[in-house]
Amino acid sequence: MVDWPSEWAPLSQEISDKLSKLKMVIFDVDGVFTDGTILRDELGNEQRRFSVLDGHGISRLKDIGILVGVVSREPSEITKSRMEKLKIDEIHVGSKDKSVTLKEILNSVISISEGQPSQSQQQSIAKKEEAKEKGTKTHKVER
């Protein structure tokens, strides 16, 4: 077994309480999920470098019921595919105006929270309740 980095230790109750007030975290992609490198071959095919460690961080947020979204100006199929693999709740690639996209996401989350939760919110709520019931989790990986 390999220990995860110490920053990934189980959350203290104080931090869990603070995070429980969050409904959603929205990220940019380039320079956040990637190192900012875009490789392009002579045919124009793009490659981006994503870290597998980000997936663990996203899972931790989702495990405590926080919705996760991304907004990127780049209309990249690679980015869309990676975010779908991470099961990101709100994926917006090719956004011409990030501020407009953010407002649309927030309005959607707010209107949903005033009525019936969406399917992704229901799943996040269920995970949050399950995490509370289980208590502290260990973060080890077997190789």
Side-chain angles (χ1 to χ4, degrees), residues 3 7 11 13-16 29 53 69 71 79 83 103 126-127 134 138-139:
D3 287 327
E7 310 74 68
L11 300 175
Q13 189 59 47
E14 178 185 0
I15 291 175
S16 290
V29 176
L53 299 177
V71 178
T79 296
M83 298 305 119
K103 287 175 186 171
K127 284 185 177 183
K134 287 183 181 177
T138 58
H139 299 280

Side-chain angles (χ1 to χ4, degrees), residues 70-87:
V70 295
V71 178
S72 177
R73 282 192 182 99
E74 292 291 320
S76 167
E77 284 300 315
I78 297 167
T79 296
K80 182 180 175 198
S81 174
R82 176 67 177 151
M83 298 305 119
E84 287 172 346
K85 184 174 182 176
L86 294 177
K87 297 184 172 102

Side-chain angles (χ1 to χ4, degrees), residues 9-131:
L11 300 175
S12 70
Q13 189 59 47
E14 178 185 0
I15 291 175
S16 290
D17 290 345
K18 287 180 181 180
L19 287 175
S20 71
K21 296 174 186 173
L22 289 176
K23 290 184 181 182
M24 177 176 238
V25 177
I26 302 173
F27 298 98
D28 188 10
V29 176
D30 292 322
V32 177
F33 285 92
T34 73
D35 63 3
T37 300
I38 299 174
L39 303 172
R40 192 169 296 191
D41 68 16
E42 67 278 357
L43 300 176
N45 298 313
E46 282 188 3
Q47 294 182 8
R48 294 167 188 251
R49 293 170 28 135
F50 294 95
S51 171
V52 296
L53 299 177
D54 292 330
H56 182 70
I58 295 302
S59 292
R60 289 194 73 185
L61 289 172
K62 292 174 77 59
D63 284 348
I64 60 173
I66 297 174
L67 296 170
V68 179
V70 295
V71 178
S72 177
R73 282 192 182 99
E74 292 291 320
S76 167
E77 284 300 315
I78 297 167
T79 296
K80 182 180 175 198
S81 174
R82 176 67 177 151
M83 298 305 119
E84 287 172 346
K85 184 174 182 176
L86 294 177
K87 297 184 172 102
I88 301 291
D89 301 293
E90 290 284 339
I91 302 168
H92 299 268
V93 297
S95 171
K96 296 195 185 309
D97 187 335
K98 289 182 182 181
S99 65
V100 170
T101 303
L102 286 172
K103 287 175 186 171
E104 290 171 357
I105 294 169
L106 293 175
N107 287 335
S108 172
V109 170
I110 289 168
S111 64
I112 289 171
S113 69
E114 291 173 351
Q116 288 289 351
S118 68
Q119 184 176 7
S120 62
Q121 282 181 314
Q122 289 173 352
Q123 291 169 348
S124 293
I125 291 166
K127 284 185 177 183
K128 191 175 207 175
E129 293 302 317
E130 183 181 316

